[in-house]
């Protein structure tokens, strides 16, 4: 296991030199693969082995790599807590092959390929197990194919964010009227931003690494996220009311650079991809269990966790799906599969 603290400037400098060397010297690639293949894995979340999905996935990946007998052939270095930059910068680095792996929600890649935003539509999924059934039924492949074609990035496994996304605010929120005017942070993603706007909020896109200080400064009145992330990132220190809107069951994607994929030895690649999928299964199980624990912990830390008029929010957001289909007809088969899949 390698978890490396590093400055972003040092990383970019060394990565640029490495990329140049790989381009100019194909023989070096062969020698590197004959030895230990070193991969870089990024996550925006803190280095929390229990409540941060990136670290949990990484630990499971290392375990499965060893179980597949690849411990001496593949070494994955983990960079949590935005060490390699904000997510939008990191996913572009994955596209270029400067960073090999990224653990993040599907939402960030919608900035590169808008069709991925299908998964961000409000109240589309009913639960994470229902999501997995829908993906197994064919709702994942069109998105995966579009991302590979449009951005040179593969999704090699799907896991769960650790709980559905709900609204944490500085005041109680039970109805859309309560949310009116509140500056709620959303991902820099137009679909999620539109969902929160329809729910009644003054939706405010902002990079993950800027949330805490924005809450402290009063730039934000709250955010929408899952319970373990709120706990691990200590957002509860600045906002004390958590409304269980459960407007989004955001899938967790394991992004893998196609540049790295193509330079791996086929036999090594097969074993690594198998380990990546097994690690995702382990992470799903952990995520389902830890959501409840995080909600209890938030309550103990003074957060009021409360039910809300979820149907009222759902009704407000309902037009979003039909409008998205009109704008992107290619999303309809994916949405139809999801809607027809029972939990």
């Amino acid at each position: 296991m390698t978890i490396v603290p590093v400055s972003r400037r040092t990383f970019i400098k060394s990565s640029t030199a490495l990329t140049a060397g790989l381009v100019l010297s194909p023989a070096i690639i062969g020698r590197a693969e004959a030895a230990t293949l070193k991969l870089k894995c990024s996550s925006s979340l803190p280095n929390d082995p229990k409540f941060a999905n990136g670290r949990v996935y990484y630990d499971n990946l290392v375990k499965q790599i060893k179980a597949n007998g690849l411990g001496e052939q593949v070494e994955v270095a983990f960079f949590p807590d935005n060490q390699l930059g904000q997510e939008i910068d990191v996913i572009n680095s994955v596209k270029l092959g400067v960073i090999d792996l990224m653990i993040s929600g599907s939402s960030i890649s919608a900035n590169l390929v808008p069709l991925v935003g299908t998964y961000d539509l409000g109240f589309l999924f009913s639960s994470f197990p229902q999501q997995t059934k829908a993906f197994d039924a064919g709702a994942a492949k069109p998105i995966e194919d579009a991302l590979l074609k449009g951005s040179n990035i593969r999704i090699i496994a799907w896991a769960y964010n650790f709980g559905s996304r709900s609204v944490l605010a500085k005041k109680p929120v039970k109805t859309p009227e309560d949310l009116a005017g509140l500056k709620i942070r959303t991902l820099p993603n137009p679909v999620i931003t539109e969902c929160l706007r329809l729910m009644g909020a003054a939706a405010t896109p902002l990079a993950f690494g800027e949330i805490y200080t924005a809450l402290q400064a009063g730039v934000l009145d709250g955010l929408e996220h899952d319970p373990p992330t709120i706990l691990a990132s200590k957002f509860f220190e600045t906002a004390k009311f958590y409304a269980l809107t459960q407007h989004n069951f955001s899938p967790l994607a394991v992004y893998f650079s196609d540049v790295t994929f193509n330079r791996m030895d086929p036999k090594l690649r097969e074993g690594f991809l198998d380990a990546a999928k097994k690690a995702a299964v382990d992470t799903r199980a952990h995520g389902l269990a830890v959501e409840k624990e995080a909600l209890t912990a938030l309550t103990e830390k003074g957060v009021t966790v409360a039910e809300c008029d979820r149907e009222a929010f759902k009704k407000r957001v309902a037009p979003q799906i039909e409008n998205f289909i009109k704008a992107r007809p290619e999303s309809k088969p994916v949405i139809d599969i999801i809607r027809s899949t029972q939990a």
Side-chain angles (χ1 to χ4, degrees):
M1 178 186 296
T2 306
I3 302 174
V4 186
V6 65
S7 72
R8 189 180 174 196
R9 178 180 296 177
T10 300
F11 168 74
I12 292 173
K13 183 177 179 181
S14 63
S15 297
T16 302
L18 175 61
T19 302
L22 291 176
V23 172
L24 294 173
S25 307
I28 293 176
I29 299 176
R31 290 199 299 272
E33 290 185 343
T36 301
L37 179 65
K38 296 185 178 182
L39 305 177
K40 299 181 182 71
C41 178
S42 175
S43 170
S44 66
L45 297 189
N47 191 29
D48 187 315
K50 185 173 186 178
F51 293 112
N53 55 46
R55 171 64 191 275
V56 171
Y57 179 81
Y58 169 74
D59 287 346
N60 285 325
L61 178 62
V62 170
K63 180 184 71 175
Q64 293 297 344
I65 286 173
K66 291 179 179 177
N68 279 5
L70 303 177
E72 299 300 319
Q73 299 177 60
V74 180
E75 179 182 324
V76 183
F78 183 55
F79 299 85
D81 208 16
N82 289 306
Q83 287 183 17
L84 303 186
Q86 299 296 337
E87 286 189 306
I88 190 63
D89 300 317
V90 171
I91 198 148
N92 276 293
S93 293
V94 175
K95 178 179 179 180
L96 297 172
V98 176
I99 297 173
D100 307 290
L101 282 157
M102 179 184 184
I103 314 303
S104 183
S106 62
S107 308
I108 194 65
S109 58
N111 292 284
L112 302 179
V113 177
L115 183 62
V116 185
T118 303
Y119 297 154
D120 296 323
L121 292 166
F123 300 96
L124 176 63
F125 296 103
S126 61
S127 69
F128 280 119
Q130 184 255 352
Q131 180 183 98
T132 295
K133 288 183 180 179
F135 282 8
D136 289 345
K141 192 174 187 308
I143 303 297
E144 295 168 356
D145 291 347
L147 189 62
L148 178 59
K149 181 179 179 181
S151 68
N152 212 36
I153 296 173
R154 292 176 179 268
I155 294 178
I156 57 173
W158 292 101
Y160 302 150
N161 276 294
F162 291 175
S164 56
R165 299 178 80 97
S166 290
V167 174
L168 179 73
K170 295 181 178 181
K171 58 171 280 188
V173 172
K174 292 187 177 181
T175 67
E177 290 72 27
D178 294 331
L179 200 54
L182 295 187
K183 298 185 292 295
I184 302 298
R185 180 268 179 179
T186 74
L187 280 154
N189 171 302
V191 179
I192 288 186
T193 300
E194 176 69 1
C195 174
L196 267 291
R197 187 192 68 79
L198 289 171
M199 287 170 65
T204 307
L206 193 69
F208 186 87
E210 300 173 15
I211 297 174
Y212 191 92
T213 53
L215 286 167
Q216 278 186 318
V219 175
L220 293 176
D221 298 310
L223 70 146
E224 49 90 46
H225 225 301
D226 59 79
T229 298
I230 289 169
L231 185 63
S233 301
K234 299 185 178 180
F235 297 139
F236 61 84
E237 293 179 348
T238 54
K240 294 293 186 182
F241 298 93
Y242 195 47
L244 297 176
T245 54
Q246 298 180 312
H247 53 274
N248 184 290
F249 288 85
S250 176
L252 185 70
V254 182
Y255 298 107
F256 192 52
S257 174
D258 196 46
V259 175
T260 306
F261 178 92
N262 287 321
R263 72 181 178 90
M264 291 180 78
D265 175 85
K267 290 184 179 180
L268 180 62
R269 183 169 62 206
E270 182 180 348
F272 174 78
L273 296 179
D274 178 68
K277 293 184 186 302
K278 290 176 179 175
V281 173
D282 294 341
T283 304
R284 286 181 209 157
H286 180 95
L288 290 176
V290 83
E291 178 184 12
K292 293 179 181 179
E293 190 172 341
L295 283 171
T296 298
L298 286 172
T299 300
E300 292 171 351
K301 292 182 179 297
V303 175
T304 299
V305 178
E307 298 291 338
C308 62
D309 190 348
R310 193 166 177 268
E311 286 304 312
F313 287 113
K314 187 175 181 180
K315 185 176 180 180
R316 291 273 299 256
V317 175
Q320 185 184 37
I321 292 179
E322 301 311 319
N323 290 336
F324 190 86
I325 290 173
K326 289 178 183 177
R328 303 192 180 282
E330 67 272 27
S331 68
K332 188 176 188 304
V334 175
I335 292 171
D336 286 346
I337 292 172
I338 294 170
R339 282 175 154 176
S340 64
T341 301
Q342 300 298 314

